[in-house]
Amino acid sequence: MASDFFYPNMGGVEEHIFNLSQCLLARGHKVIVITHSYGDRKGIRYMTNGLKVYYIPIKVFYNQVVLPTMICNIPLLRYILLREQIDIVHGHSAFSTLAHETMNVAKLLGLRSVFTDHSLFGFADLSAVVTNKFLEISLANCNHCICVSHTGKENTVLRAKVHQDKVSVIPNAVDTAYFTPNPCRRPNDDETSKVAHHSNKSFHLTTFIFFLRYSSPVNIVVVSRLVYRKGVDLLAGILPKLKHLPNVHFIIGGDGPKRALLEEIRERNNMQDRVVMLGALEHAKVRDVLVQGHIFLNTSLTEAYCMAIVEAAACGLQVVSTKVGGIPEVLPTSLIILTEPTVESVYRGLREAIRREMEKKQITRGRYLNGSIDGLLPTPSRTSYTGLCAFERNQIVANLYNWNNVTERTERVYRTALQEAPATLELMMKNCLKSGVWPFVLVISLCHLILRFLDWFVPRRKIDLCVTENPFLSPDCDRERSSGDILTATVRKKREKFS
């Protein structure tokens, strides 16, 4: 695995690399991760289950990405790939310079390369044009590509000019054994008696406003990087529209350049007690934040596959999200309310989600008022509420996405890549010429000459080879036991605990 984005940096790409690596280790493969140094985190580090991570000492150039030199890191990358006896280099993220450089060195060494694209790009602005052309050059010699959604596949095929038969769609997954609902962490729903006389009325707008003003709080959770691409400006436009509803609270997790805008809006509308800014969150703490909410809001302007909404649905939250990129493919309509990326549309979606939450609370209060607290009474016929409980949502997500399925499909891609013949220098140069950037042929030639010089200066026979087996795996571990059985047993134990 090669990428600029890995722990201690946190995000969707980092989470995908870590979980996929863990599942591949569990299935008996040898996996290492190559990334750049983070502060004083340099050299070799070992993570869970013996995952070996090379934090190579390369300075960050911009936005956690190293400077694209193409030749300066060749000696170190060659040494690592030969020492670890690597067969396939799997690069992640089109933004990652280190991933593209490692894939290029791997192809010149006769190895196979696979690339996973996690993002969507446009075609109009200058930065997108440059990035798309660079991606086209890099993927010209890639054995196979993986996209996380069908929308992402169409985008990659168009902007990188990759043949559609060389692109597979493998979505992300979520650990539903960890991201489980915990309704006890939400605000108490039986603390108000002011709404008792409304329980026998139909749920019209006046009742809706009354419930919002006098019922228990409704928590709306937002967890994302606070940058323009995540639609923070939309969120800033929604906050003032809900200031007249004192029982609607916001819990915002994440950090970024747009945080100052949200803090300014919060102070301007006197919502300091209702909008909580948590700052940057470790991924281990995301679930503790999600289970405190009733509704999860995602306002992204572009997204190939949004891991955050899957994790929120697994925790039992009603999801409201903008209808952009591959998001409509991710969750069924019973779990998500899709809106256009405008303030008014997102506000209407939020209002609908709040109405459903209030209607569910009305049903719950009606059962308490009728003297039944065991939850065995049927849903009253006078209500139109057809929502799912938190644990039903978790079960749906568990059936749709699991890392065992993602790993099996990725293994098939690996086997397909290994069946292809190693690329020759002549073939790599011809593929680069097809992109129309002929100077890059000189770069490939220079990289080849540097590798030939290193074969003389540091011969392969003098490089100490690492063991192919994972020394951290217990010798008593049953390798034949599928990771699917392990995952199923873990999920079952978690659900029994929370039941």
Side-chain angles (χ1 to χ4, degrees), residues 104-119:
N104 181 54
V105 174
K107 294 298 292 184
L108 290 171
L109 290 174
L111 309 179
R112 280 70 170 179
S113 63
V114 175
F115 176 75
T116 296
D117 196 356
H118 296 263
S119 304

Side-chain angles (χ1 to χ4, degrees), residues 6 15 96 131 207 248 250 272 309 395 431 438 458 487 491:
F6 196 64
E15 187 69 16
S96 175
T131 304
T207 311
V248 176
F250 282 85
Q272 291 89 339
I309 64 174
Q395 182 62 53
N431 291 336
W438 63 266
V458 185
L487 180 64
V491 172

Side-chain angles (χ1 to χ4, degrees), residues 117-248:
D117 196 356
H118 296 263
S119 304
L120 297 177
F121 287 85
F123 300 89
D125 56 292
L126 180 61
S127 62
V129 171
V130 174
T131 304
N132 293 344
K133 180 57 68 172
F134 182 77
L135 186 65
E136 179 185 351
I137 297 171
S138 178
L139 298 186
N141 294 302
C142 185
N143 293 99
H144 207 87
C145 297
I146 298 174
C147 294
V148 294
S149 66
H150 291 279
T151 302
K153 176 180 177 178
E154 295 174 1
N155 185 262
T156 300
V157 169
L158 289 174
R159 62 192 175 91
K161 296 183 174 64
V162 183
H163 195 277
Q164 59 181 359
D165 294 338
K166 294 182 63 177
V167 183
S168 300
V169 177
I170 304 177
N172 284 330
V174 63
D175 184 5
T176 52
Y178 175 73
F179 286 93
T180 51
N182 186 6
C184 298
R185 295 289 304 276
R186 297 176 179 176
N188 194 7
D189 291 339
D190 59 351
E191 61 187 12
T192 55
S193 58
K194 298 180 181 180
V195 295
H197 63 280
H198 282 270
S199 60
N200 293 324
K201 297 182 179 180
S202 59
F203 210 82
H204 296 300
L205 180 61
T206 54
T207 311
F208 172 61
I209 298 297
F210 185 86
F211 264 72
L212 286 179
R213 289 187 180 277
Y214 298 106
S215 64
S216 57
V218 174
N219 287 347
I220 301 174
V221 178
V222 180
V223 178
S224 73
R225 293 191 297 272
L226 302 183
V227 295
Y228 172 78
R229 188 172 67 88
K230 295 296 183 179
V232 179
D233 296 286
L234 294 179
L235 179 60
I238 292 169
L239 290 178
K241 289 180 172 293
L242 295 173
K243 67 178 181 180
H244 63 286
L245 302 176
N247 281 49
V248 176

